[in-house]
Amino acid sequence: MTLSLREREHFLAEPHIGALSVMERPDRAPLTVPIWYHYTPGGELWVRTGPDSRKARAMRSAGRFSLMVQRTEPTVRYVSVEGPVTRTAPDSRQRSWEMAERYLPPDKVAEFVAYEQTQLGEHIALYMQPEHWVSADLGAF
């Protein structure tokens, strides 16, 4: 039921919506929000967000975060990774385009990137090196 390293890396590299979790305050449960992400097997995982968003502030403060992705068909499968924030970087049109083309139909990417740049404000990229993995494929359940 546990996935091999190759299986979990390739599953994480697919364009799922991630559930990002990060400790925001010691007296609360972790902040958990849906997010687009990018991952290449063997590399860093990265997300984009506003530099002053709750999640960006929490990730910088905690110094680490986790991300879980799942599917229900053709089998129930999930991968969860956790690790340190390895770096932050200013956003770029290239990063915006790369992320949008992962999740949107090709004919919608340019429109979304233009909308994001004019309406959603500045973004940054936060990178994480996966250290801890939890994964499973529950077969036909």
Side-chain angles (χ1 to χ4, degrees):
M1 294 217 284
T2 300
L3 302 176
S4 70
L5 174 62
R6 183 179 184 281
E7 289 172 323
R8 67 187 184 207
E9 286 188 327
H10 284 277
F11 184 75
L12 186 60
E14 294 172 2
H16 304 281
I17 301 299
L20 183 146
S21 290
V22 61
M23 285 303 298
E24 187 177 24
R25 295 175 24 192
D27 63 331
R28 300 268 313 260
L31 171 67
T32 303
V33 294
I35 196 163
W36 288 357
Y37 71 94
H38 198 287
Y39 175 73
T40 302
E44 294 172 301
L45 180 144
W46 56 275
V47 298
R48 299 172 59 247
T49 189
D52 296 319
S53 68
R54 284 179 67 188
K55 60 185 164 286
R57 289 190 315 265
M59 285 187 280
R60 285 192 300 263
S61 176
R64 57 192 319 108
F65 66 96
S66 64
L67 185 94
M68 190 277 300
V69 299
Q70 67 175 353
R71 72 170 192 213
T72 56
E73 293 181 7
T75 60
V76 175
R77 178 178 277 198
Y78 71 89
V79 168
S80 179
V81 294
E82 183 262 328
V85 174
T86 54
R87 61 191 167 109
T88 61
D91 199 27
S92 67
R93 189 173 198 286
Q94 178 184 349
R95 275 194 196 94
S96 177
W97 192 278
E98 188 174 359
M99 190 69 79
E101 72 182 351
R102 246 175 92 75
Y103 291 95
L104 299 174
D107 63 327
K108 300 291 184 186
V109 173
E111 181 182 350
F112 177 81
V113 170
Y115 168 79
E116 184 179 64
Q117 291 180 332
T118 60
Q119 302 298 313
L120 300 182
E122 180 184 1
H123 280 68
I124 59 171
L126 293 107
Y127 291 79
M128 179 249 278
Q129 182 62 53
E131 284 184 342
H132 304 285
W133 296 76
V134 178
S135 64
D137 189 320
L138 304 178
F141 295 108

